[in-house]
Amino acid sequence: MDVENEGRRILDIAEGFMKSQVLFSSLKLGIFSLLETSGAPMTAGGISEAIGTDTDATRRLLDACAGQGLLEKVNVDKETGDGEYQLSAGSRAFLMSSSPTNMTGFVSLLADHYTSPWQDLTQAVKEGAAFSTRHGLELDKPFEDVYSNEIDFTGAMAGVPAVFGAKTASAFDLSEFNSICDVGGCTGPLAYRLAAAYPEASVSVFDLPFVIKLAEDKRPAGDHIERVSFIPGDFFGDDPLPAADLYVLCRILHDWTDDKALKILTKIHQSLPPGGGVLIADTLLEDDKTGPEVSHKYDLHMMLVAGSGERSGQELKRMLNTAGFTEVVIRNNSYPFGHILARKQRV
């Protein structure tokens, strides 16, 4: 064993919360949004005055942001180390409200959960499902219990597909499908990717009415947007799914316990024509449950916030078979998703 390297690895894990807090605190203080609207680099003093914080403490936080690549420090005085701060390329892409790949909502959601329930992970492991019950979460209604602000909710759910949706659109050749429905597709970030990738297909989004109301304001530019429609409904209710040859479930099944996930898959199977399919994009665990690391993080996260969790490809294959699907193809994980394409038996 390399003592130094192994020791550093343990410390990196233990110190990881420090890095995340730099990002979370900067978001909560409004530093990124301030720099987005300023139009020019700002000094630590100018930023602290604008957000009402201590100047020295703000400078330390800003320097930490620069060290992590969240900000750039420019016009630095070599004698004093003082300078000005501006958004880095990554922050412009992913932490600006005006960016089409904005992930601020999702990161802010994680920031809120860091205090609770993540700080209670030890207790949650002791209690299991009783933890969620004790904290007032109804396991079959996590969205009603965990998320209360509709705009924040949709912003959080749309952020990751907006950035990584191209991987899902290209995980399999979907050109044979003439109509695609993104079930629980929020305001459409993945649907737009699918419409752009498959110009012959019509694409719809099926989601709760309050989500669909917000979708019109989130439409991007481009000719392909005209082929994306939005249909309100509840996949657990009596509302029929929109007719489609292919249904897409991106980060949906991990929200629900096995019985609920199976109910979703069964409803999709019943709605499909023979030979139709379902494409699943989720944070898959390896079959032996030893990785990948991102799946372990979200497995614990979903346990804490929804009483559910991540699954392996084989676990989902068995669930798909139970729902009636026959042909099931599992593709290897590629951050942050693995992909599964399953078909209803052909005539």
Side-chain angles (χ1 to χ4, degrees):
M1 180 180 69
D2 187 322
V3 174
E4 271 193 27
N5 283 339
E6 282 299 300
R8 179 173 179 173
R9 185 178 66 83
I10 296 298
L11 285 178
D12 283 344
I13 295 171
E15 294 168 355
F17 82 97
M18 298 180 185
K19 292 179 66 176
S20 62
Q21 284 301 307
V22 170
L23 172 59
F24 295 161
S25 295
S26 298
L27 271 175
K28 290 179 178 180
L29 289 169
I31 290 173
F32 300 112
S33 58
L34 173 64
L35 290 172
E36 178 181 357
T37 57
S38 70
M42 297 180 66
T43 64
I47 292 172
S48 66
E49 182 178 358
I51 63 176
T53 54
D54 177 80
T55 300
D56 179 65
T58 301
R59 176 187 57 76
R60 294 171 187 242
L61 179 59
L62 294 169
D63 284 340
C65 284
Q68 292 184 194
L70 298 170
L71 298 177
E72 293 177 351
K73 191 173 184 179
V74 298
N75 304 323
V76 180
D77 186 311
K78 293 182 179 180
E79 295 294 327
T80 65
D82 293 333
E84 296 177 309
Y85 302 87
Q86 63 185 22
L87 293 173
S88 65
S91 293
R92 290 183 186 279
F94 304 119
L95 298 176
M96 283 180 57
S97 59
S98 58
S99 171
T101 53
N102 175 33
M103 291 198 294
T104 301
F106 185 71
V107 176
S108 296
L109 186 67
L110 293 180
D112 290 339
H113 287 161
Y114 181 84
T115 301
S116 180
W118 264 98
Q119 70 173 9
D120 299 321
L121 177 59
T122 303
Q123 191 62 33
V125 172
K126 290 181 179 180
E127 296 185 24
F131 173 84
S132 295
T133 302
R134 187 168 61 82
H135 281 260
L137 302 182
E138 293 185 51
L139 300 187
D140 62 342
K141 298 193 298 181
F143 294 116
E144 294 180 24
D145 295 316
V146 178
Y147 309 109
S148 57
N149 184 292
E150 295 177 359
I151 295 177
D152 289 348
F153 170 83
T154 54
M157 294 301 100
V160 176
V163 176
F164 299 102
K167 286 187 175 181
T168 296
S170 62
F172 294 90
D173 181 0
L174 306 176
S175 57
E176 67 179 280
F177 298 107
N178 296 318
S179 56
I180 302 173
C181 177
D182 186 2
V183 179
C186 200
T187 52
L190 177 56
Y192 293 125
R193 295 278 195 179
L194 290 164
Y198 301 100
E200 301 301 318
S202 63
V203 182
S204 62
V205 174
F206 183 76
D207 213 320
L208 295 170
F210 81 81
V211 177
I212 298 302
K213 287 180 182 178
L214 300 172
E216 193 61 38
D217 293 336
K218 302 293 183 180
R219 283 187 178 270
D223 296 336
H224 63 285
I225 67 170
E226 296 179 1
R227 287 184 290 108
V228 178
S229 60
F230 292 86
I231 301 169
D234 182 350
F235 48 62
F236 285 130
D238 296 328
D239 304 306
L241 295 176
D245 302 322
L246 176 74
Y247 292 98
V248 179
L249 296 169
C250 182
R251 303 192 77 190
I252 299 297
L253 295 181
H254 77 163
D255 293 328
W256 305 99
T257 54
D258 286 352
D259 59 332
K260 291 288 183 178
L262 181 58
K263 185 174 182 179
I264 296 170
L265 292 174
T266 301
K267 186 169 186 175
I268 286 176
H269 185 269
Q270 293 170 346
S271 301
L272 279 170
V278 58
L279 173 63
I280 298 171
D282 234 326
T283 314
L284 302 182
L285 288 160
E286 298 292 350
D287 291 336
D288 65 2
K289 306 293 182 72
T290 61
E293 182 184 1
V294 63
S295 299
H296 291 147
K297 293 175 183 175
Y298 282 104
D299 186 41
L300 290 170
H301 185 70
M302 297 313 299
M303 177 190 75
L304 288 167
V305 303
S308 56
E310 307 299 341
R311 300 176 178 92
S312 69
Q314 289 302 314
E315 286 175 323
L316 284 170
K317 182 179 180 179
R318 288 193 291 271
M319 190 176 290
L320 285 160
N321 291 156
T322 301
F325 291 93
T326 52
E327 303 173 34
V328 180
V329 181
I330 303 169
R331 287 281 161 87
N332 291 335
N333 281 321
S334 61
Y335 185 92
F337 304 137
H339 295 91
I340 299 175
L341 180 62
R343 292 180 182 275
K344 186 173 182 176
Q345 187 171 2
R346 306 170 196 267
V347 175

